[in-house]
Amino acid sequence: MGFSSQENPSLYFFFFLLCLSTVSAYTNTSSNNGVEGGRRELASWRCNWFRGSWVYDVTYPLYDPYKCPFIDPQFNCKKYGRPDNLYLKYRWQPSSCSLPRFNGLYFLRKMRGKKIMFVGDSLSTNMWQSLACLIHSWVPNARYTLLRQKGLASLTFEDYGVTLKLYRTQFLVDLDAENVGRVLKLDSIKQGKMWRGMDVLIFNSWHWWTHIDHIQPWDYMEDGNILYKDMNRLVAYYKGMTTWARWVNAFVNPSKTKVFFNGVSPVHYDGRDWGEPMKSCKSQTQPFYGRKYPGGPPVAWVILNKVFRRLKKPVYWLDITGLSQLRKDAHPSAYSGNHPGNDCSHWCLPGLPDTWNVLFYSALFS
């Protein structure tokens, strides 16, 4: 195993061209459901569910946070003092069609005896707990078993044999403890053996790739049997997600397993992204209402767009980035039970992840 503190400059040039050639696709993809070679599928070929606006709906939220037993303190904004309620009342309305209303009983009956696994970081936890609450609100007296251990959680609705699993991994690729320290292996995905045998997989990864200093969970990156003390994080993300795509191509049987990727979840720490330079998500009470989000697409979205072209198996991309960028009001900010400071990266429950799950529900049963 070799060590290197240098990166190939051609990688940066390649990456620059990659981003330059794809950034314009953000608008085009938002208005076009076409799929090249069947390798990437948006949720509906009839209507772009990801292009639309947020509308006030008096029937929202879809469940009572005080009656759902699965919400972690980190996402339980009402319990920890958030005083406003308007952020709970917005429903996503596609421009040229309508999404089906989530029906938890229908979900349980259709998925009877099946296993669904969320694979990813704390945003996957956000979405997993949201789905659990959505289902529970329809069958509040149903028997369930909840098991949690380090890195893995499992919720089974016993009367239906439906299991919602959560596998926590920040990067999807392997993070191993070795003699030199903690090594993030950009070309290895041995932990994928834990994901096999599921009926549905929902992946997510981006949140941790840019962390530095004391919150960076690795000491070295490894690629091609060479150790790097650091690497351009966007290049590293591209390499890691390409490894994930190879895993899908090699190990997923589409006749047995449906695969989803929940797109890049945005943050709202910098008000310049929406035209309020001195502000963050703190004290925001309404969505951004402009026709186009000023901050533009995250570069991670551009990278995923390229990675999906490597897929040979069908993967449903839940392209939640644009609609989520509009929800600067939906973060816990100061109203989090175990996230000190101003949290503008996760989401309150009830809240935005419920819409992600309505989109997942729509795609799953379309």
Side-chain angles (χ1 to χ4, degrees):
M1 180 183 296
F3 287 81
S4 176
S5 60
Q6 301 294 323
E7 296 178 60
N8 186 342
S10 64
L11 283 176
Y12 292 104
F13 181 67
F14 160 76
F15 188 71
F16 171 75
L17 292 178
L18 181 153
C19 293
L20 190 63
S21 66
T22 312
V23 69
S24 62
Y26 187 66
T27 302
N28 295 335
T29 302
S30 296
S31 59
N32 181 9
N33 285 324
V35 181
E36 182 180 323
R39 288 171 290 176
R40 174 181 146 209
E41 300 182 29
L42 295 183
S44 172
W45 61 271
R46 294 179 298 275
C47 170
N48 190 333
W49 291 334
F50 308 105
R51 188 180 181 90
S53 59
W54 290 98
V55 298
Y56 182 85
D57 190 329
V58 69
T59 68
Y60 269 51
L62 297 177
Y63 54 88
D64 184 341
Y66 297 104
K67 294 181 180 179
C68 180
F70 310 119
I71 305 176
D72 282 347
Q74 185 173 4
F75 314 130
N76 204 336
C77 302
K78 295 306 295 183
K79 180 178 179 179
Y80 288 93
R82 181 159 179 171
D84 59 310
N85 292 309
L86 191 59
Y87 75 98
L88 296 168
K89 295 293 184 180
Y90 291 104
R91 173 176 55 81
W92 179 248
Q93 176 60 56
S95 298
S96 56
C97 61
S98 293
L99 291 168
R101 188 86 171 186
F102 186 93
N103 184 319
L105 191 57
Y106 180 81
F107 185 98
L108 289 170
R109 288 171 175 169
K110 289 286 287 185
M111 299 302 292
R112 185 182 295 273
K114 297 189 181 299
K115 294 178 288 187
I116 301 158
M117 177 178 277
F118 291 84
V119 182
D121 57 29
S122 52
L123 276 309
S124 289
T125 306
N126 226 170
M127 190 175 179
W128 174 69
Q129 292 181 8
S130 162
L131 182 59
C133 290
L134 286 166
I135 294 171
H136 181 266
S137 69
W138 280 82
V139 288
N141 298 316
R143 296 179 302 124
Y144 68 84
T145 300
L146 177 60
L147 302 174
R148 289 195 178 197
Q149 55 189 25
K150 186 177 181 180
L152 186 65
S154 179
L155 172 63
T156 300
F157 289 90
E158 300 289 351
D159 298 326
Y160 301 89
V162 175
T163 300
L164 309 181
K165 291 179 176 287
L166 172 68
Y167 185 94
R168 285 291 299 270
T169 170
Q170 296 113 316
F171 304 102
L172 301 185
V173 293
D174 296 326
L175 178 61
D176 293 342
E178 300 191 346
N179 291 335
V180 295
R182 301 164 298 172
V183 180
L184 180 60
K185 300 191 172 185
L186 301 177
D187 55 1
S188 173
I189 200 160
K190 296 189 300 292
Q191 63 182 323
K193 65 181 182 293
M194 301 294 294
W195 315 335
R196 297 167 74 172
M198 298 296 126
D199 297 288
V200 180
L201 289 167
I202 307 107
F203 291 98
N204 149 70
S205 182
W206 166 242
H207 189 67
W208 281 83
W209 285 87
T210 57
H211 286 358
I212 60 173
D213 299 330
H214 67 282
I215 56 174
Q216 173 183 301
W218 50 266
D219 303 303
Y220 294 94
M221 290 185 179
E222 180 182 298
D223 182 46
N225 216 33
I226 298 175
L227 286 178
Y228 297 88
K229 188 61 181 172
D230 205 347
M231 181 185 294
N232 180 287
R233 303 305 178 82
L234 298 173
V235 172
Y237 182 64
Y238 178 75
K239 288 176 176 287
M241 293 303 97
T242 299
T243 299
W244 165 80
R246 286 198 297 265
W247 182 89
V248 170
N249 289 338
F251 294 108
V252 168
N253 181 346
S255 68
K256 296 182 178 179
T257 304
K258 288 188 176 182
V259 182
F260 295 80
F261 196 103
N262 201 47
V264 176
S265 177
V267 298
H268 291 95
Y269 288 104
D270 188 347
R272 289 177 295 181
D273 286 346
W274 62 88
E276 294 182 306
M278 304 303 293
K279 295 187 178 181
S280 70
C281 74
K282 185 178 181 180
S283 301
Q284 298 286 340
T285 60
Q286 294 186 357
F288 176 81
Y289 283 115
R291 290 180 58 85
K292 184 177 180 181
Y293 189 69
V299 180
W301 184 94
V302 178
I303 295 170
L304 282 177
N305 199 48
K306 287 294 185 183
V307 168
F308 267 69
R309 297 185 182 185
R310 292 178 172 267
L311 287 165
K312 297 180 176 63
K313 303 288 180 67
V315 174
Y316 293 80
W317 185 5
L318 297 173
D319 191 8
I320 52 87
T321 302
L323 64 91
S324 301
Q325 283 181 315
L326 304 178
R327 294 305 307 272
K328 58 186 173 63
D329 60 315
H331 297 283
S333 62
Y335 305 105
S336 172
N338 61 359
H339 192 287
N342 187 33
D343 184 357
C344 297
S345 56
H346 300 97
W347 307 94
C348 294
L349 292 180
L352 177 65
D354 303 327
T355 295
W356 299 351
N357 277 310
V358 170
L359 290 162
F360 165 61
Y361 173 92
S362 303
L364 184 63
F365 300 128
S366 65

